[in-house]
Amino acid sequence: MVLAPLQVTADALNYTWILVVSFLIFFMHAGFAMLEAGQVRSKNVANQLTKNLLTWSVGVTVFFLIGAGISSLVGGSGFASAASASGTGWIDWLYGAVFAMTAATIVSGAVAGRAKLRAYITYTFLLAAVIYPVVTGITWAGAYISFGGAAFTDFAGGMIVHGMGGIAGLTAAYVLGPRMGRYNEDGSVNVIPGHSLTFAVLGTLLLAFGWYGFNVGTSAIIGGDGAFLGDQLGRVAMTTTLAMACGAMGAGLMAWVRTGKVDTLYVANGLLAGLVGITAIPHTTSWWGAFVVGGLAGVQLPLVFGFVEKRLQIDDVCAVFPVHGSAGVLGTLLYPFVAAPGVVDSVLNAFVAQAIGVAVIAAWTIVSTGLIWGVLKAIGQARVTPEHEQEGLDVSEHGVETYPEFGSGDSVVADGGIVSESVRADGGSKDD
């Protein structure tokens, strides 16, 4: 069958668009790497970078062989591995894979500084093979969740990708327990600062850049009837940008109200929380709704992080739950309240459908993640030894020092690590 020239042109443009935005979403891994590396101690930077590299490498391979087929199976279309696809089917697989790997890499930031590399890779394998595919199977692939005629809505993965990843990270961090020195015997909290605010902010901006592929790229540019989808593209671009900006301002404002200071890392993470908040609903939200979603996602960040840190006493190193988890849940639930006129028929039905979707995804993620990390912990394979944690995972897990010139000296390491004497690689003497 020979397609009409108009159809050929539309398909060519849409698939070129899909490839470009897939590359943008892949580039978000550079942002995650810098953001997470900046928020861990210098002795754990190489470990965090390695996890980011292997998340993609292991995860995308597993998603190709198993995960895409599981998603199709759960969605009701039978097991269809990407290995059996061809042509544009592989483009569709790649587009799904970059979303899957975003969910996977979020977890690494929550368990930084104490998880064994083998444990993290085991979890990444299972997340890419089963955990995430089940979530997409019951939502995007199967559309099973609805209430009163209103279907669960998640345009680009605010809950399916980010909410799921943030909840998985919080669950894994809970099972692992906090880093050494994070809490005192009386329950008070010690701050273990990241080693580079510069890297963290650079990573934030790289992620924000890639997010345009995440959100705007989810919309095709030409519809099935040949019409240009300019209205949807424009709305998604507008709401994504406004929510991003309001997230940064909301987090900075709340930090200032609480402490009298505008914390830079809160502003950076608030920007990301605003993006997460709008990701489920950028195609339906009114312009003022983008202000509401982004602002609230930013405001909740310091509050939720403080609750997790002080009340729950869970050591979420890179704040993945308040950035991805609670912000994703918030934006998903706000769908019927901030939608443009004429989008939602029944606010109540739409809200209940959203709440059911959030609850189902959260329950599946908590149970599956808790089970996997619980088994790893029970067999002694979840966490590094106290000696290795003090020494740093760069040396104990990889045999390298990210900053060898500064790895020796007499200074005290804030989290109880041990500084050893060594020869400087550049031939200089200590403290010169």
Side-chain angles (χ1 to χ4, degrees), residues 121-176:
I121 297 305
T122 298
Y123 178 73
T124 298
F125 183 102
L126 294 171
L127 183 144
V130 180
I131 300 174
Y132 176 79
V134 167
V135 173
T136 56
I138 63 176
T139 52
W140 287 332
Y144 296 132
I145 302 171
S146 63
F147 180 83
F152 174 72
T153 296
D154 189 337
F155 184 70
M159 185 64 203
I160 294 170
V161 176
H162 292 278
M164 177 261 172
I167 292 170
L170 185 71
T171 305
Y174 169 76
V175 174
L176 270 178

Side-chain angles (χ1 to χ4, degrees), residues 14-29 94-100 102 140 155-158 161-162 205-221 232-233 236-238 240-241 244 275 278-279 282:
N14 277 331
Y15 274 108
T16 300
W17 172 253
I18 291 171
L19 284 172
V20 170
V21 300
S22 296
F23 303 153
L24 274 173
I25 298 170
F26 165 74
F27 191 64
M28 291 174 72
H29 284 271
L94 175 60
Y95 183 62
V98 292
F99 278 80
T102 300
W140 287 332
F155 184 70
V161 176
H162 292 278
L205 296 175
L206 289 175
L207 280 169
F209 173 69
W211 224 292
Y212 282 110
F214 213 92
N215 283 9
V216 183
T218 297
S219 175
I221 55 177
Q232 180 171 279
L233 283 169
V236 174
M238 177 269 293
T240 297
T241 303
M244 177 202 313
L275 284 166
I278 200 64
T279 293

Side-chain angles (χ1 to χ4, degrees), residues 94-111:
L94 175 60
Y95 183 62
V98 292
F99 278 80
M101 294 309 99
T102 300
T105 198
I106 290 169
V107 179
S108 68
V111 300

Side-chain angles (χ1 to χ4, degrees), residues 11 49 59-60 115 178 180 213 244 263 323 327 372 418:
D11 287 346
L49 296 177
V60 78
M180 295 176 64
M244 177 202 313
D263 186 279
V323 171
I372 294 166
I418 300 171

Side-chain angles (χ1 to χ4, degrees), residues 16 174 272 333 346 359:
T16 300
Y174 169 76
L272 297 178
L333 294 178
S346 169

